[in-house]
């Protein structure tokens, strides 16, 4: 500490940060224990636990893992539904200096095996539902020393190869684990594998420092917008394996909110938990939003101001309107696995004269710098019309992809993280994602954003889902084709859809090259493992057909 | 960046932080430029400037300073009232790698000379009101190369020794200063000298990283409590030289709030600015709160939910009640110059059954850890009654006192920052400051908190101000004596005051040793340079008398 003191009046040098003031995950848990004695953490229909119980379980989990050989730098892999167990692992594993792998259980068994091999996971903590999956791949995981199975009380669910039941082992482990208070904030805390659009899943990772800064900035941005408060009741509806449920369980814990964990997502249970506990704050992708709304609607339930942050893919105007009519307070945001994930959040408090929709990708949160650039990395005008690739800087972006120097170098080309998303910027700094670069249709020298076309088509009454992709064309390079899933029992009027697009061309909103070549009605659209429409698969269809 | 990527699956080591993700003051200014195009910064009756104007002036100020020889590590000293000029210096000076000294203009000329000598300030930026002060000491400041004088348009205010007028030089300087984006976050950004209770003023200092983390945590804590929002209109009522007006101008700028700067504090102007601009958020010491309320009251003005954060000294129950009756939303907080300053903030959202007053010292904000300890550094019970010294850890505490290794070692004895404040902790983590250690009266082996007695006495109708100090006693070591300033025209009933204290003894609230030995009516009480009651001077009186 003395170094800094002597810096005044001479040349400043950079003293080593005081290890006691390190930005480590444990500091978020310490913050949680203030003022939250009466607040609870609930898992499905189980009795609630208190924050002090959570703190105790974090200690027990660390002891359990240490007793089974986990040391600093080792990877612990978690395969569970959304639960307070998962929350305890968010803290216990990084706080003991180990790395938490939140296993993407929507990947194929082959892909999951690959990710566990690459991360060299030593211990797997497995919900019994995933035991068959692990059974199938466990012989190919030479680094795994032990399996701890979450049986949820079903004793017969413990496979022969399991080292024990999570609940039994936890109860037998000591709560007073001696966490190292001088842990380096630049230690990796967590890792997660995203679905690559091509090839193998790619691993991203985040340090303690990154998770702490992300939590503070998200809390500051949401708090200043009246979107989060000490009295909120939080429930994730984005899986906890997916970049820490967008980081919200860390934020909710830091602020000591009441938290509800829904386990495996079952629409009727989600609606029931919301009603029973007065959930006020959640986040999800549009598909889950639709599912929750449909379930509530069928039960005649109206929501009363439930705040729902939407990300993952574009929120269509009709879904936004329907959600608002159902009593939800919907706001969009933007981020991706590589960005930790939150880059921007829309604000409820923007002045009405801005004309911004709640579905807009939003404003960069504190400490995030964005730029929308052309091929030469030059910023495009901030006129809300000029397109370019969105590139990002902030202290919580993944340093790269695990074990893939080439992809990491591409990701960070020129010192900015390349999102591969096409965006526009409003002069007030509001961001709008328009498309994925690979989904942009290149035709006649123009860039056509598939999402702009999709938004137009989704506004048509009989359309449930739509994907517009570029199909190869000998003269124009590519031409746009729309694949449409009708609403149940409805038959979309194709001529009308073509005219809708033509009208947008006439109004100058889109290029004349955006006129649809062809519209095809299909029964459903292929989805990726995280529930997004899989345009790669659709392009393959259209090239085969 | 590659280092971190290779950490998964092997032992984690600490990579050097990406310099582009450094926690520097500039990142707060970048955040300010998002979504705040229509928001303004106002200085007294001057035309407002925009955030883009602020950004431009920050560039100009850096160019001005560079052109006058300021380089990285140099100290630039500011002597100004609260203004947008001060705000620009908060950013420009640290962003160019230099150190901003916010000169404590309430110190004596001799003390100010001492602080400028110790900080080796190279350039002084001086409001014309402070020119006579600088005139008197400038020959003793060999490190000062130049003086820039803020004339506020009065050209005859420029002394012969001034290098130029701030406004003229700024207008002539280039806005496009090339700020170094890779500045180290551990560089010292600011320094400030506190009034020592004994001896010379002591210098504290803060790094970029510390100011950024303090800003984020204060924003997160206030935001979650509904106390700060994008729509707030902010006006400081704690001087900007005093630990950056408690850090609030950084928070307000980061969030892009409308900001009002009142210059020299004049009660009628403050009330007028509040009315004219719809100020919603301020912070001050109780003395200023009283002054603002009296002025508004004399003009028949009622406040409409103006949020006022109170710190610096204890907020008495009667002042709290009066402020609430006047329409102010008052909440207390706690901190000191050494702590950057915010340690804790009371919450408006605590459940009513907690019974906590809005005047309570509050809950530690995120990343702050507090402990209340006995002489052996052992925590006392969290029962809201057991006293001890408050010690603190957090990433934004001063590393020590400039050039004073002995005092720094005392401050950080045992790895905690010693506040020299006596406190109690509630089991829910809420803090209550009870006294300064040096003001505690030691009598008959008991500790008597002077503030507890003062709060009791202040509740009496005819008492305007009170100070209770310990006077030496041959048998009991010390005995408590109260010095009372009556309300205008009133005559406090001394017998009644003695009985009030006795009743509290009977109820078991205070020790029987707390019975007052003597009550003395005085015309006024001596104040320190920051407007607090100067008990050191009172103890000297009472020993003389």
């Amino acid at each position: 500490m003395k170094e800094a003191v002597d810096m005044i009046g001479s040349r400043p040098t950079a003293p080593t940060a005081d290890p006691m003031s390190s930005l480590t995950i444990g500091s978020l848990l310490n913050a949680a224990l203030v003022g939250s004695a009466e607040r609870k953490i609930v898992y499905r229909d189980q009795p609630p636990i208190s924050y002090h119980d959570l703190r105790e379980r974090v200690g027990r989990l660390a002891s359990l893992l240490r007793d089974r050989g986990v040391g600093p730098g080792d990877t612990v892999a978690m395969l569970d539904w959304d639960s307070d167990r998962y929350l305890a692992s968010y803290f216990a594993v990084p706080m003991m200096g180990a790395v938490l792998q939140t296993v993407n259980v929507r990947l194929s068994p082959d892909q999951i095996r690959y990710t566990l091999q690459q991360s060299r996971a030593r211990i797997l903590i497995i919900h019994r539902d995933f035991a068959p999956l692990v059974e199938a791949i466990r012989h190919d995981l030479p680094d795994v020393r032990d399996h701890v199975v979450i049986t949820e009380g079903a004793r017969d669910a413990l496979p022969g190869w399991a080292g024990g039941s999570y609940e039994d082992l936890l109860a037998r482990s000591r709560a007073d684990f001696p966490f190292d208070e001088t842990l380096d904030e630049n230690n990796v805390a967590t890792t997660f594998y995203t679905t690559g659009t091509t090839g193998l899943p790619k691993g991203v990772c985040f340090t303690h420092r990154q998770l702490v800064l992300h939590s503070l900035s998200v809390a500051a941005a949401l708090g200043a917008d009246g979107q989060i408060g000490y009295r909120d009741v939080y429930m994730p509806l984005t899986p906890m394996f997916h970049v820490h449920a967008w980081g919200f369980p860390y934020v909710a814990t830091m602020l000591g909110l009441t938290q509800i964990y829904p386990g495996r997502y079952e629409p009727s249970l989600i609606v029931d938990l919301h009603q029973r506990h007065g959930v006020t704050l959640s986040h999800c992708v549009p598909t889950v939003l639709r599912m929750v709304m449909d379930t509530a609607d069928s039960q005649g339930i109206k929501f009363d101001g439930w705040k729902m942050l939407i990300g993952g893919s574009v929120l269509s105007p009709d879904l936004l309107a329907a959600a608002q009519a159902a009593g939800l307070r919907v706001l969009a945001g933007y981020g991706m696995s590589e960005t930790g994930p939150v880059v921007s959040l829309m604000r409820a408090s923007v002045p009405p004269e801005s004309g911004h929709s709640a579905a807009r990708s939003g404003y960069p949160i504190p400490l995030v710098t964005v730029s929308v650039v052309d091929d030469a990395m030059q910023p495009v005008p901030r006129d809300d019309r000029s397109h370019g690739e969105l590139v990002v800087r902030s202290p919580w972006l993944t340093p790269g992809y695990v074990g893939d120097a080439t992809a990491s170098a591409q990701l960070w080309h020129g010192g900015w993280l390349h999102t591969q998303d096409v965006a526009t910027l409003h002069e007030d700094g509001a961001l709008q994602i328009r498309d994925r670069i690979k989904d942009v249709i290149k035709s006649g020298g123009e860039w056509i954003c598939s999402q702009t076309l999709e938004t137009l088509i989704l506004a048509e009454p009989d359309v449930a889902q739509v994907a517009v992709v570029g199909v190869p064309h000998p003269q124009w390079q590519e031409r746009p084709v729309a694949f449409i899933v009708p609403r149940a029992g409805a038959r979309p009027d194709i001529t009308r859809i073509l005219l809708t697009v033509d009208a947008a061309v006439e109004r100058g909103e889109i290029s004349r090259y955006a006129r649809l070549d062809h519209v095809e009605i299909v029964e459903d659209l292929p989805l990726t493992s995280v529930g997004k429409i899989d345009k790669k698969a659709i392009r393959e269809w259209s090239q085969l057909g």
Side-chain angles (χ1 to χ4, degrees), chain A:
Chain A
M1 284 176 296
K2 203 171 149 294
E3 286 162 282
V5 182
D6 291 342
M7 283 157 66
I8 294 287
S10 60
R11 251 195 88 66
T13 54
T16 309
D18 173 11
M20 302 309 293
S21 72
S22 202
L23 302 178
T24 53
I25 292 292
S27 62
L28 302 184
L29 189 56
N30 285 343
L33 299 175
V34 165
S36 60
E38 79 287 357
R39 290 176 193 140
K40 302 296 181 197
I41 300 167
V42 177
Y43 172 61
R44 292 169 77 96
D45 57 356
Q46 300 295 303
I49 64 168
S50 70
Y51 270 83
H52 289 281
D53 296 333
L54 173 68
R55 176 66 185 77
E56 188 188 307
R57 287 180 199 204
V58 166
R60 288 184 192 278
L61 179 55
S63 298
L64 183 166
L65 292 168
R66 177 200 52 197
D67 294 349
R68 305 188 96 74
V70 173
D74 288 339
T75 300
V76 174
M78 189 89 181
L79 295 90
D80 192 10
W81 307 113
D82 288 10
S83 65
D84 63 301
R85 300 174 299 255
Y86 223 135
L87 186 65
S89 78
Y90 273 26
F91 290 95
V93 178
M95 282 168 66
M96 65 192 295
V99 177
L100 175 69
Q101 181 182 356
T102 59
V103 178
N104 186 338
V105 294
R106 289 192 187 147
L107 296 176
S108 71
D110 276 358
Q111 288 178 316
I112 292 176
R113 175 177 50 207
Y114 167 80
T115 70
L116 291 170
Q117 285 170 346
Q118 199 192 42
S119 73
R120 297 190 208 159
R122 290 174 75 100
I123 303 269
L124 308 187
I125 303 176
I126 309 154
H127 188 277
R128 65 185 196 206
D129 290 354
F130 302 110
L133 165 76
V134 172
E135 170 69 50
I137 62 173
R138 67 188 182 89
H139 294 293
D140 299 328
L141 302 174
D143 292 312
V144 172
R145 308 281 174 86
D146 210 346
H147 306 80
V148 175
V149 175
I150 298 161
T151 59
E152 301 218 53
R155 301 210 159 261
D156 57 353
L158 203 63
W161 43 264
S165 123
Y166 178 91
E167 295 86 347
D168 290 351
L169 293 173
L170 204 71
R172 271 191 264 137
S173 302
R174 293 181 61 110
D176 59 348
F177 184 88
F179 289 110
D180 175 8
E181 287 187 314
T182 63
L183 203 65
D184 191 304
E185 68 188 39
N186 290 314
N187 273 8
V188 171
T190 63
T191 184
F192 163 67
Y193 284 76
T194 65
T195 40
T197 48
T198 52
L200 292 161
K202 293 200 186 87
V204 296
C205 61
F206 302 98
T207 64
H208 284 255
R209 168 184 164 105
Q210 293 186 305
L211 297 176
V212 170
L213 292 173
H214 182 269
S215 303
L216 284 171
S217 181
V218 168
L222 288 175
D225 196 41
Q227 297 300 308
I228 200 164
Y230 289 124
R231 287 173 174 159
D232 270 318
V233 177
Y234 164 73
M235 178 165 72
L237 292 176
T238 312
M240 292 181 80
F241 68 75
H242 191 251
V243 249
H244 336 103
W246 299 351
F248 282 84
Y250 283 125
V251 176
T253 304
M254 175 181 84
L255 298 177
L257 310 188
T258 295
Q259 301 186 54
I260 314 296
Y261 286 93
R264 183 176 193 159
Y265 291 174
E266 296 163 13
S268 61
L269 179 67
I270 286 170
V271 171
D272 181 55
L273 287 170
H274 168 264
Q275 296 292 101
R276 191 140 35 105
H277 299 288
V279 173
T280 59
L281 177 65
S282 294
H283 48 80
C284 64
V285 295
T287 321
V288 171
L289 174 64
R290 174 77 74 185
M291 179 191 83
V292 170
M293 283 167 54
D294 288 349
T295 306
D297 195 42
S298 71
Q299 299 179 11
I301 289 167
K302 271 284 263 190
F303 298 116
D304 185 20
W306 188 2
K307 290 171 284 192
M308 191 68 79
L309 300 161
I310 304 294
S313 51
V314 67
L315 175 62
S316 69
D318 71 324
L319 183 53
L320 169 63
Q324 289 171 334
L328 293 164
R329 284 166 59 189
V330 171
L331 278 182
Y334 168 77
M336 52 196 290
S337 302
E338 288 82 348
T339 59
V342 180
V343 167
S344 61
L345 292 169
M346 194 50 207
R347 298 181 185 174
S349 59
V350 284
E353 59 271 23
S354 74
H356 294 325
S357 154
R360 202 183 166 99
S361 316
Y363 297 88
I365 65 172
L367 306 191
V368 174
T369 306
V370 301
S371 190
V372 174
V373 296
D374 62 19
D375 288 345
M377 285 292 282
Q378 293 306 304
V380 303
R382 289 164 69 124
D383 57 8
D384 216 18
R385 297 179 68 91
S386 303
H387 293 73
E389 188 188 5
L390 175 67
V391 295
V392 185
R393 282 177 179 163
S394 122
W396 54 76
L397 310 177
T398 187
Y401 297 112
V402 177
D404 190 340
T406 308
S408 299
Q410 282 172 358
L411 182 70
W412 278 101
H413 174 65
W416 291 81
L417 185 143
H418 288 254
T419 63
Q420 309 249 22
D421 278 323
V422 176
T424 58
L425 264 179
H426 191 276
E427 62 172 355
D428 72 1
L431 195 64
Q432 183 60 58
I433 302 298
R434 304 286 176 176
D435 214 347
R436 291 290 293 166
I437 279 192
K438 64 180 165 35
D439 293 336
V440 163
I441 300 151
K442 287 111 190 161
S443 188
E446 298 269 336
W447 275 26
I448 301 161
C449 289
S450 63
Q451 290 184 5
T452 309
L453 285 168
E454 287 160 1
T455 304
L456 274 170
I457 297 168
L458 271 176
E460 291 298 305
D462 294 331
V463 177
Q465 283 184 297
V466 62
V468 175
V469 301
V471 299
H473 189 281
Q475 185 175 359
W476 305 111
Q477 188 180 357
E478 289 183 328
R479 292 296 299 138
V481 171
F483 294 83
I484 290 175
V485 180
R487 284 199 193 282
R491 232 166 68 166
D493 178 341
I494 292 180
T495 311
R496 186 180 148 145
I497 287 167
L498 292 169
L499 287 173
T500 299
V501 174
D502 287 353
V505 173
E506 301 296 323
R507 291 195 302 272
E509 287 173 17
I510 51 175
S511 151
R512 67 195 171 89
Y513 289 95
R515 284 205 167 91
L516 293 172
D517 241 35
H518 181 62
V519 175
E520 195 163 325
I521 306 293
V522 293
E523 262 178 50
D524 48 30
L525 292 169
L527 300 179
T528 66
S529 67
V530 291
K532 297 187 194 178
I533 292 173
D534 186 349
K535 290 201 176 172
K536 187 168 157 256
I538 297 174
R539 276 191 293 269
E540 280 163 12
W541 278 358
S542 53
Q543 281 161 47
L544 293 171

